[in-house]
Amino acid sequence: MYWSRYYIPTLKEAPSDAEVVSHKLMTRAGMIRKLTAGVYSYLPFGLRSINKVAQIVREEMDRAGAMELMMPTVQPGDLWKESGRWEQYGKELLRFKDRHERECCLGPTHEEVITDLLRGEVRSYKQLPLNMYQIQTKFRDEIRPRFGLMRGREFLMKDAYSFDRDDAGAEASYRAMYEAYKRIFSRLALRFRAVEADSGSIGGSFSHEFMVLAQTGEDVIAACTACDYAANVERAEVRFEGAPDGAEQLPLQAVDTPGVHSIEEVAAFLNVEPCRIIKTLLLSVDGKPVAALVRGDRELNPLKVKNRLDATTVEFATPEQVAAWSGAPVGFAGPSGLGVETILADLELQAGSNWVAGANRADTHNLNVNLPRDARITAYADLRLITESDYCPRCGAAIELPRGIEVGHVFKLGLKYSKAMNAVFLDENGKERHMVMGCYGIGVTRVVAACIEQNHDADGIVFPPPVSPFDVLLLSLDGKSEEVNAKAAELHGLMAGQGLDVLVDDRDERPGVKFKDADLIGVPLQLVLGSKSMGRGVVEAKDRRSGEKAELSMENFAAEFAAWKKTVYAGWGM
RNA sequence: CGGAGCGUGGCGCAGCUUGGUAGCGCGCCUGCUUUGGGAGCAGGAUGCCGGAGGUUCGAAUCCUCUCGCUCCGACCA
């Protein structure tokens, strides 16, 4: 490919609405253009990268025994009513009516369609297991699209669905996908981690997320420094095995704390450490009041409350609810005498004594609160967010909290959809049974964005070779020289003959422009051909990642290029 | 959804406070020179100043409405 006939509209400046580095660089490198909030056109250069990722995904899905199909983007509302998600899914589901006033939606995911498809086809256990996938445009009307391709409304996703006879089969399908995902992200030369995750709104019991590690990630991972335990902090277990401190229980004492609301204010006013205070969070769990107690220096993980109570919604109480339930304004709720039926306390609170807590009365706190004596605790449970000072729940080693970008998610769906939509088959005994399902997603366009978040420098994108739109960028300086042009064509043909995608920058531009653009667009292997180096019989080579330069002799180019390429790829762990 | 901000040639911005008929840098086109890390000179093209309404002799500028975009928040006991 010759740049003079290709379209890569590079920009010196990023548009002012681009905030994150992948969005800026993808725009500047001529990969994408925004059409409207969260919706992008993929330009030729960007699409090549997307297609490279998609191809690797495809190969590994096929290898794992999944079959590619393609389902519709426009889906009938009736199907979603059948699964119950027409009501559940909320505004992210873009709904509209067709000319016959029939309710429709744009597919944010395809459980309903695939379940509907296979329930009409699969009759016998002999036809199972099945795993089908597609690589297709999804639309999710996000509350707030942002970060370019990282959280768009329209994006390209690979979604796979497995159907099995029983739990053991479903487990095998899940493991196969988990392994396929590890292969995929390894092949893409990304630094990633598979983490335990909450299963979220799609449903199912547990799941794993695949996180591309990057400082700019929206998710925080709790990762063990010793074993391979890793979990989304939303899910990460916190072990507490401390014994009661055995201190003498002092009498409960109310003190005036006028206008003292927050933990920091209480700590300062009463001159106690935040870790000696009980934070009482009032929550509305499926509309009912629940109190959750954690140590003052800790943060509640609402998801743990949700899972503990097997609830569907957990929200922080409004100031009005706080007043009604605790009998005091916000800032003075406490466990003793609290008129809320369900009071959960974090494990850490079981061990301590003589706590400071709100008194459920305006401008008043209690000293020497001892939970067994002064409060009615429904249950002690792991309720809080993990911190860097906690230890691995598996092996006890130190925990670190790197950030990541979720690029893949594997779920066990169980019978959720097969029951709701009556997807059944006949087993060996002629008995009707529900298919056991799993679903597995990879955000293809997000993989490209996440890849750039992870791999860039001050000059631009630093593509890992498997994700790069082209394998080699050959800068042809001195484009007016017949000799240089002929040599460029020769090298292009030679490398293309090795199966490489080669881009030759033959534009009528000054060398500086070409160098800058080369670094910006991030092709991993850069070759420079100009009168100067030609005179010495060499081609200059630069590893975009390390910046290291080499010289390849023209006489022995094929061999020297192959060797150089190998060392560059080795730097990527390939 | 709540809060804040921004819409002016392709991109980045100034002009708006104090109304007088639009400007800068980059990019683009032509020519000459230049050619190893975003060249120089000369010439040139490109704006319904987001849209609608209003005030005014006159609106990019003031007022009202509207559309679009961006950011922040949704951990507070």
Side-chain angles (χ1 to χ4, degrees), chain A residues 1-3 5 48 470 472-474 476 484-506 527 529 539 557 561:
Chain A
M1 190 67 70
Y2 287 84
W3 195 328
R5 279 167 265 157
R48 286 186 77 99
F470 289 93
V472 187
L473 174 59
L474 172 59
S476 170
V484 170
N485 286 337
K487 196 71 195 174
E490 182 194 326
L491 296 180
H492 176 280
L494 196 151
M495 291 184 287
Q498 294 179 7
L500 296 174
D501 290 327
V502 183
L503 178 65
V504 178
D505 188 355
D506 61 332
L527 296 178
L529 191 62
V539 180
F557 179 80
F561 172 75

Side-chain angles (χ1 to χ4, degrees), chain A residues 31-339:
Chain A
M31 297 177 73
I32 58 171
R33 288 292 183 263
K34 186 175 76 179
L35 177 62
T36 184
V39 179
Y40 293 83
S41 294
Y42 311 126
L43 303 188
F45 188 67
L47 185 61
R48 286 186 77 99
S49 183
I50 291 167
N51 285 340
K52 295 240 169 160
V53 173
Q55 186 52 30
I56 288 174
V57 169
R58 199 171 265 130
E59 287 169 15
E60 293 302 329
M61 293 306 290
D62 291 346
R63 181 207 294 266
M67 288 161 276
E68 187 168 9
L69 86 170
M70 182 86 93
M71 292 181 275
T73 45
V74 173
Q75 305 179 6
D78 284 348
L79 214 45
W80 286 72
K81 286 175 183 163
E82 199 179 339
S83 72
R85 287 206 291 185
W86 187 257
E87 285 76 29
Q88 277 174 26
Y89 213 95
K91 289 187 179 165
E92 274 188 31
L93 183 65
L94 183 65
R95 303 154 208 246
F96 58 95
K97 287 182 177 167
D98 67 11
R99 61 162 68 194
H100 302 294
E101 291 292 304
R102 286 184 292 231
E103 288 181 302
C104 303
C105 61
L106 285 185
T109 173
H110 282 66
E111 283 83 6
E112 279 79 2
V113 177
I114 190 84
T115 306
D116 176 66
L117 179 71
L118 291 186
R119 70 178 165 179
E121 305 288 334
V122 175
R123 294 281 133 79
S124 159
Y125 71 94
K126 292 173 193 163
Q127 293 167 284
L128 298 176
L130 282 174
N131 187 335
M132 299 203 190
Y133 74 97
Q134 61 178 348
I135 297 177
Q136 193 230 28
T137 298
K138 295 280 184 283
F139 193 93
R140 294 183 185 172
D141 201 0
E142 295 279 350
I143 309 176
R144 190 174 147 211
R146 57 186 137 177
F147 307 149
L149 289 196
M150 298 265 285
R151 184 176 292 283
R153 292 194 295 167
E154 186 175 297
F155 56 98
L156 196 65
M157 180 173 175
K158 186 284 303 179
D159 46 323
Y161 305 90
S162 66
F163 294 80
D164 278 275
R165 302 179 213 177
D166 51 29
D167 288 339
E171 175 68 25
S173 295
Y174 185 91
R175 293 311 305 182
M177 285 296 105
Y178 182 91
E179 292 304 322
Y181 277 34
K182 282 194 357 191
R183 289 187 60 92
I184 288 166
F185 296 115
S186 299
R187 277 186 63 184
L188 291 170
L190 297 170
R191 296 186 302 283
F192 72 99
R193 192 112 191 204
V195 309
E196 293 179 11
D198 195 72
S199 48
S201 63
I202 294 199
S205 40
F206 73 93
S207 66
H208 284 91
E209 287 168 342
F210 287 78
M211 298 282 192
V212 167
L213 301 175
Q215 308 88 309
T216 51
E218 282 191 276
D219 291 289
V220 179
I221 302 162
C224 180
T225 52
C227 74
D228 65 359
Y229 176 79
N232 195 307
V233 286
E234 289 181 342
R235 179 184 168 92
E237 300 158 39
V238 181
R239 281 266 186 90
F240 183 75
E241 284 155 357
D245 61 10
E248 186 192 347
Q249 295 193 2
L250 303 172
L252 190 68
Q253 183 192 348
V255 292
D256 284 345
T257 51
V260 178
H261 303 268
S262 69
I263 292 292
E264 293 73 34
E265 288 166 354
V266 173
F269 187 84
L270 295 175
N271 194 28
V272 292
E273 294 293 316
C275 66
R276 300 297 310 146
I277 302 173
I278 294 177
K279 186 150 70 172
T280 305
L281 289 324
L282 290 171
L283 306 164
S284 171
V285 179
D286 292 339
K288 288 194 225 153
V290 167
L293 313 181
V294 295
R295 228 168 70 177
D297 58 335
R298 303 302 195 189
E299 287 196 10
L300 176 72
N301 182 350
L303 213 53
K304 288 184 176 174
V305 174
K306 183 181 161 191
N307 291 339
R308 170 81 198 188
L309 299 176
D310 202 16
T312 41
T313 63
V314 172
E315 291 167 326
F316 282 92
T318 63
E320 294 74 33
Q321 286 172 322
V322 171
W325 296 341
S326 72
V330 170
F332 300 98
S336 47
L338 182 61

